[in-house]
Amino acid sequence: MPWDEAGMPALTRDTGAKPLPQQAPAHTRPGAVPSQYERHGAWVVVTRGAYDMDSITPLADALDAAVRKYPKVILDASGITFADSTLLNLLILTHQAGTLRVVAPSPQLQRLCEITGVDSILEARDSVDDATVS
């Protein structure tokens, strides 16, 4: 018997059994659609929840559309519970495309920005009203 047949696990052999139904990966979760509104000529995007590569798309779409239309974009980040390099990259790209101000970053996001040095690039403000002022 050839070595590749002898080492083949029983689960991969054709036994005539029906295949298992396809399941979504356990780590996949839909991204929350951010709420948005205009305030004193700026566009405000309010986020809630966790942001990583599996959940960033709705926020990325919102920030991309906002930075194309408004001279100033404000991200209310007070509701962010988790962020990784995916969100940091998005914030940097948005900052490069226009004026981005981050309002009330959560402690987790604030610490991530400090560790990576992104806090020296982004403008953080205490409130949306404060962020609308030049």
Side-chain angles (χ1 to χ4, degrees):
M1 173 181 318
W3 68 270
D4 58 338
E5 289 179 15
M8 186 182 300
L11 293 176
T12 62
R13 291 187 191 141
D14 184 13
T15 62
K18 293 180 182 179
L20 294 174
Q22 292 291 329
Q23 293 180 347
H27 68 277
T28 301
R29 61 186 179 273
V33 177
S35 61
Q36 304 174 56
Y37 61 93
E38 187 174 5
R39 179 82 175 186
H40 302 297
W43 193 249
V44 180
V45 178
V46 182
T47 61
R48 300 284 180 257
Y51 289 94
D52 59 20
M53 66 184 287
D54 292 327
S55 61
I56 199 73
T57 302
L59 179 58
D61 292 345
L63 289 176
D64 181 55
V67 80
R68 291 174 189 263
K69 188 173 179 183
Y70 290 87
K72 188 183 300 178
V73 177
I74 299 167
L75 176 67
D76 180 344
S78 61
I80 294 177
T81 57
F82 174 82
D84 66 7
S85 62
T86 309
L87 179 64
L88 285 181
N89 186 51
L90 175 61
L91 296 180
I92 292 167
L93 291 173
T94 305
H95 168 76
Q96 290 174 339
T99 300
L100 173 67
R101 296 200 174 144
V102 180
V103 171
S106 65
Q108 193 272 338
L109 179 57
Q110 190 170 7
R111 180 70 178 137
L112 185 60
C113 289
E114 289 170 0
I115 290 170
T116 59
V118 172
D119 64 329
S120 66
I121 297 169
L122 298 178
E123 292 185 55
R125 302 292 172 95
D126 292 330
S127 69
V128 170
D129 286 333
D130 186 33
T132 61
V133 180
S134 297

